[in-house]
Amino acid sequence: MWFACATSKGDVEALKCRWKSITHHECNEHEWTDDNGEQHRCDHAPLTAQEKKNRMWMRKYSMAFQDLSSLVLDKRLLRDMEKMALFKHTGPLEVFHSALLKYLPKRQAFSFQGMKERCHLAFLEHNENIVKRKQDTTKTGQARFNQVFSKRSKQWVLKKIFTPHTTQFIDTLIKRVMDRRRNPNIQFTLPISSLAMPQPALPPNITPVPKPSKEAATTSFQSRF
Ligand SMILES: [Zn+2]
C-alpha cells in the first residue's frame, strides 16, 4: 500500500492499478490483461527461475487467494484509497504543531496581533528546519546515517541523520530590526505580509449578559450573608 501510494504521484487510477496488482503478483503472474483488455506488468525486474522457486506463491482461485482478493478489491477500501493518491501523511503537521506550541503556549492568552506574529515565528522556524532541512554530511562530504534496529522488520536499517535544528531566522530578524533602527530609510518587503488578515470584530467577552457594576455586585454579595 505504501509503495502504491508513494509512486502514484496523484494519479488515482495508477494507484488503484498498482494496489490491485497484488492479486496477480502473489500468484507468480507478473504480466496480465485486465477486464478492459489493457496490458499490465509488475514494476520489479523480471524474476530469475531461482527467485521464483525460492518464494511461496499463492494458487489462483484457492481459498487463500479468494480471501486476499476480497480484502484487496474491497470497494470501500478502493474508494478510501483515492484520498491517498497524493501520499501526504501527518508527520510534518505534528512537528509543526509542536513548533507552534513553543511560540504559542496554550496556558497563556495572547492578543490577536500577538497570536498572529507568534504564528509567523513558528512558520519561520518550521520552514528553516523542516521544509529546507537537508541530510547531514561528514567532513569529507559523505551522507550521514544512523544504524537502528527495526522491531517490525527485525533487521538493522539505515536512518538519515539530518542537519542540526537551527533558529538562524531569529538572528536575521534581530539584525534587520537593528539595521532599520539605525537607518529608517531601509524598506523591507516581507514575503509573509501576503498572510496579512484583518482583525476580526470580536466581542470584549463571551458572556451572554452584561457585567453588573462593581457596587451592585458587592451589595448583592454582602446581602447573601
Ligand atoms: Zn510481480
Side-chain angles (χ1 to χ4, degrees), residues 85-194:
L86 286 171
F87 194 52
K88 303 279 181 207
H89 59 101
T90 54
L93 187 64
E94 283 172 35
V95 175
F96 171 67
H97 283 158
S98 85
L100 202 56
L101 281 180
K102 178 174 157 185
Y103 294 97
L104 272 171
K106 287 183 190 176
R107 282 164 178 243
Q108 270 168 282
F110 299 102
S111 65
F112 178 80
Q113 192 66 19
M115 292 280 281
K116 209 172 88 175
E117 301 309 337
R118 281 162 177 274
C119 277
H120 289 170
L121 291 174
F123 296 162
L124 288 169
E125 179 163 327
H126 185 78
N127 286 348
E128 181 173 311
N129 286 291
I130 305 302
V131 180
K132 296 178 187 165
R133 207 170 191 194
K134 290 194 182 82
Q135 190 173 358
D136 206 5
T137 50
T138 59
K139 278 176 193 161
T140 51
Q142 304 266 304
R144 289 185 68 201
F145 288 99
N146 207 1
Q147 270 185 301
V148 288
F149 186 74
S150 163
K151 279 186 193 164
R152 201 168 47 134
S153 62
K154 295 189 178 59
Q155 53 188 346
W156 287 88
V157 289
L158 285 180
K159 275 199 155 178
K160 285 181 183 177
I161 297 181
F162 289 95
T163 50
H165 190 96
T166 56
T167 48
Q168 196 77 51
F169 72 96
I170 296 179
D171 298 339
T172 314
L173 279 178
I174 292 174
K175 189 182 170 300
R176 291 173 86 174
V177 169
M178 296 302 285
D179 288 349
R180 179 73 161 78
R181 181 85 180 108
R182 292 191 191 106
N183 181 2
N185 296 325
I186 294 178
Q187 290 295 316
F188 287 133
T189 47
L190 295 173
I192 216 156
S193 64
S194 58

Side-chain angles (χ1 to χ4, degrees), residues 25 29-30 42 44 47:
H25 174 85
E29 184 184 38
H30 311 285
C42 287
H44 58 76
L47 301 177

Side-chain angles (χ1 to χ4, degrees), residues 14-126:
L15 166 62
K16 283 193 199 168
C17 183
R18 278 210 178 86
W19 170 246
K20 289 187 203 166
S21 76
I22 296 174
T23 56
H24 297 280
H25 174 85
E26 285 303 313
C27 299
N28 195 13
E29 184 184 38
H30 311 285
E31 284 179 41
W32 66 96
T33 312
D34 68 12
D35 297 341
N36 306 324
E38 274 183 64
Q39 290 284 326
H40 298 281
R41 60 180 300 276
C42 287
D43 273 349
H44 58 76
L47 301 177
T48 63
Q50 189 61 39
E51 280 173 325
K52 285 188 182 180
K53 204 173 151 233
N54 286 348
R55 285 199 64 168
M56 287 175 74
W57 302 102
M58 244 179 210
R59 256 179 302 116
K60 209 158 194 178
Y61 309 115
S62 64
M63 194 72 144
F65 174 80
Q66 281 171 14
D67 277 352
L68 176 74
S69 300
S70 70
L71 287 172
V72 171
L73 306 176
D74 181 72
K75 282 208 169 69
R76 222 170 104 188
L77 176 71
L78 287 175
R79 211 169 42 236
D80 285 350
M81 281 185 78
E82 292 176 8
K83 310 260 188 319
M84 287 148 70
L86 286 171
F87 194 52
K88 303 279 181 207
H89 59 101
T90 54
L93 187 64
E94 283 172 35
V95 175
F96 171 67
H97 283 158
S98 85
L100 202 56
L101 281 180
K102 178 174 157 185
Y103 294 97
L104 272 171
K106 287 183 190 176
R107 282 164 178 243
Q108 270 168 282
F110 299 102
S111 65
F112 178 80
Q113 192 66 19
M115 292 280 281
K116 209 172 88 175
E117 301 309 337
R118 281 162 177 274
C119 277
H120 289 170
L121 291 174
F123 296 162
L124 288 169
E125 179 163 327
H126 185 78

